[in-house]
Amino acid sequence: PVSPQLADSEFSPVFRLLTIFAYGTYADYLAEAANLPPLTEAQKNKLRHLSVVTLAAKIKCIPYSVLLEQLQLKNVRQLEDLVIEAVYADVLRGSLDQRNQRLEVDYSIGRDIRREELGTITRTLQEWCQGCEVVLSGIEEQVSRANQHKEQQLALKQQIESEVANLKKTIKVTTAAAAAATSQDPEQHLTELREPAPGTNQRQASKKPSKAKGLRGSAKIWSK
């Protein structure tokens, strides 16, 4: 942070230049260049790097046209060389999309913060915390629903298993009864086939002796 005591001293131009390096951009310097100390090329490039960082905090895909205007560079070649220098200095990380003429930023360093910006940062963090609480509440609700669904599915599974077990018992008992009935009927049927009905053999036996008796009588008649 820059000491505010320099603002009211003879070093006020230096103080203002330091604040630009701390918080401002190259465009801010050009707007007040007449009242500020001159910069070397290295200092200009440093301020341009910081200007890219400020832009990257607002937008992650920066068009070449915006960079050329903000950094006051003459052509795309100078712009790309400047960005490559910033990447090697670990000021930012990203890629140059030459086809779409834009800089895609993945990471950039942070810059100093003005006191008047603390309120905005506090509100942003509070909104972020509230958003996290809403998301957490939503996750907890989803977990609760998932647990209820799991319990319902478990109860349904147990009910189905119980019904299947009862059905198996019923089928087993029915099958055993049918098997018992089937095993008795064939035996009775075979018994009836082996043992003829009462009176049938007696009638046949009585008929056979009568025939023999008749034959004997006729023999006697012819012998006389």
Side-chain angles (χ1 to χ4, degrees), residues 18 23 44 56 63 93 167-168 196 200:
L18 290 175
Y23 317 115
K44 289 180 181 179
R93 298 171 192 168
L167 183 59
K168 287 181 178 180
T200 302

Side-chain angles (χ1 to χ4, degrees), residues 197-216:
T200 302
N201 293 336
Q202 294 177 0
R203 287 195 295 269
Q204 292 177 353
S206 61
K207 290 180 180 179
K208 290 179 180 179
S210 61
K211 291 181 180 180
K213 191 173 182 180
L215 291 175
R216 293 192 192 99

Side-chain angles (χ1 to χ4, degrees), residues 177-192:
T182 304
S183 63
Q184 292 175 359
D185 291 341
E187 292 181 356
Q188 294 178 356
H189 182 65
L190 292 174
T191 302
E192 292 177 354

Side-chain angles (χ1 to χ4, degrees), residues 84-219:
I84 292 172
E85 290 177 2
V87 171
Y88 277 112
D90 204 23
V91 174
L92 59 89
R93 298 171 192 168
S95 59
L96 293 168
D97 187 352
Q98 296 178 332
R99 180 177 182 179
N100 296 312
Q101 294 288 288
R102 65 186 182 183
L103 168 63
E104 297 180 357
V105 181
D106 298 328
Y107 159 82
S108 63
I109 63 173
R111 299 198 65 181
D112 293 336
I113 301 172
R114 294 185 178 95
R115 290 184 178 274
E116 54 268 25
E117 294 176 349
L118 293 177
T120 303
I121 294 174
T122 301
R123 287 193 300 272
T124 302
L125 292 175
Q126 289 176 348
E127 292 175 357
W128 179 77
C129 290
Q130 292 174 356
C132 290
E133 291 177 356
V134 171
V135 173
L136 181 60
S137 176
I139 293 174
E140 291 177 349
E141 183 179 355
Q142 293 294 329
V143 170
S144 178
R145 290 180 180 177
N147 290 334
Q148 292 178 359
H149 180 71
K150 180 181 179 181
E151 293 176 357
Q152 292 174 357
Q153 292 298 319
L154 182 60
L156 179 60
K157 180 181 178 182
Q158 292 176 350
Q159 180 181 356
I160 292 174
E161 290 178 350
S162 177
E163 293 178 356
V164 170
N166 293 333
L167 183 59
K168 287 181 178 180
K169 291 179 180 178
T170 303
I171 293 173
K172 185 176 181 180
V173 172
T174 304
T175 304
T182 304
S183 63
Q184 292 175 359
D185 291 341
E187 292 181 356
Q188 294 178 356
H189 182 65
L190 292 174
T191 302
E192 292 177 354
L193 291 177
R194 288 195 299 267
E195 298 178 358
T200 302
N201 293 336
Q202 294 177 0
R203 287 195 295 269
Q204 292 177 353
S206 61
K207 290 180 180 179
K208 290 179 180 179
S210 61
K211 291 181 180 180
K213 191 173 182 180
L215 291 175
R216 293 192 192 99
S218 59

